[in-house]
């Protein structure tokens, strides 16, 4: 069962032993994934428990990168980008680029400053790189070097209650 809705109220008291609290949600759309038509019931009753992904903010047309592409040194986040020569061949040089981060999604993070759309980033193996290290680009389907495009990102948290 999958549903969308909106938070109506949040309890001001938290149960210390579980750090859980009550949230009242008004469900707008309910979708059942059952293949048997007779099992497609959506009889929800008060007091049910469930897991929720709550979108706390959303931005469209932002640059997002995989969470694992970000490194932090002395509290400053950075990403390695592949800087190609004028001939745009597969040989490139790794460049350490400081970035300002925005909201975080499940597996991606918004980059507010430091990257432009179309920049190729190094997503694996950057732990052993230094600024200026020659790198060999692999095809994008290998997910080693991926061009950035504008995208959307949701800041979500998973909760059970």
């Amino acid at each position: 069962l999958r549903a969308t809705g909106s938070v109506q109220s949040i309890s001001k008291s938290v149960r210390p032993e579980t750090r859980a609290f009550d949230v009242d949600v008004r469900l707008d759309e309910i979708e059942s994934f059952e293949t048997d038509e007779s099992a497609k019931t959506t009889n929800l009753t008060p007091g049910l428990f469930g897991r929720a992904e709550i979108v706390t903010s959303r931005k469209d047309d932002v640059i997002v990168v995989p969470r694992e592409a970000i490194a932090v040194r002395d509290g400053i986040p950075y990403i390695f980008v592949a800087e190609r020569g004028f001939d745009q061949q597969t040989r490139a040089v790794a460049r350490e680029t400081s970035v300002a981060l925005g909201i975080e999604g499940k597996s991606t993070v918004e980059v507010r400053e430091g990257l432009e759309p179309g920049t190729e980033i190094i997503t694996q193996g950057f732990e052993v790189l230094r600024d200026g290290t020659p790198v060999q680009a692999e095809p994008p389907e290998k997910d080693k070097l991926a061009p950035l495009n504008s995208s959307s990102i949701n800041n979500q948290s998973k909760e059970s209650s």
Side-chain angles (χ1 to χ4, degrees), residues 144-159:
K144 301 272 194 252
L145 196 62
L148 290 177
N149 294 311
S150 294
S151 186
S152 296
I153 186 168
N154 291 326
N155 184 15
Q156 299 177 332
S157 60
K158 284 190 176 179
E159 300 294 331

Side-chain angles (χ1 to χ4, degrees), residues 114-131:
L115 292 179
E116 296 294 325
T119 303
E120 292 179 305
I121 63 169
I122 300 170
T123 60
Q124 294 180 351
F126 62 85
E127 300 87 355
V128 297
L129 293 178
R130 298 287 177 251
D131 194 58

Side-chain angles (χ1 to χ4, degrees), residues 4 12 28-30 33-35 58-59 85 96 98 101 105-107 122 131 156 158:
T4 59
K12 293 183 180 180
D28 301 321
E29 296 179 29
I30 301 172
F33 293 105
E34 295 291 334
T35 55
R58 177 180 173 83
K59 290 185 178 179
E96 184 178 313
S98 296
L101 303 177
K106 287 182 194 176
S107 59
I122 300 170
D131 194 58
Q156 299 177 332
K158 284 190 176 179

Side-chain angles (χ1 to χ4, degrees), residues 53 64-70 103-110 121 123 143 151-156 158:
E53 290 182 0
V64 297
V65 297
R67 181 182 303 279
E68 63 270 9
I70 300 168
I103 64 173
E104 298 183 17
K106 287 182 194 176
S107 59
T108 58
V109 178
E110 172 194 11
I121 63 169
T123 60
D143 197 31
S151 186
S152 296
I153 186 168
N154 291 326
N155 184 15
Q156 299 177 332
K158 284 190 176 179

Side-chain angles (χ1 to χ4, degrees), residues 8-95:
Q8 298 298 299
S9 66
I10 301 172
S11 172
K12 293 183 180 180
S13 61
V14 177
R15 291 185 286 285
E17 64 277 1
T18 61
R19 296 188 304 169
F21 52 91
D22 293 330
V23 177
D24 291 324
V25 177
R26 178 185 199 104
L27 300 178
D28 301 321
E29 296 179 29
I30 301 172
E31 179 182 348
S32 176
F33 293 105
E34 295 291 334
T35 55
D36 179 9
E37 285 299 318
S38 64
K40 285 189 175 183
T41 60
T42 55
N43 294 332
L44 298 177
T45 58
L48 289 177
F49 292 90
R51 178 163 295 176
E53 290 182 0
I54 300 173
V55 176
T56 58
S57 59
R58 177 180 173 83
K59 290 185 178 179
D60 293 320
D61 297 322
V62 297
I63 296 174
V64 297
V65 297
R67 181 182 303 279
E68 63 270 9
I70 300 168
V72 178
R73 184 180 323 115
D74 299 325
I76 300 171
Y78 65 93
I79 294 174
F80 274 101
V81 300
E83 182 180 274
R84 295 178 184 272
F86 66 91
D87 59 0
Q88 297 295 307
Q89 297 300 315
T90 57
R91 301 228 16 106
V93 174
R95 291 288 179 216

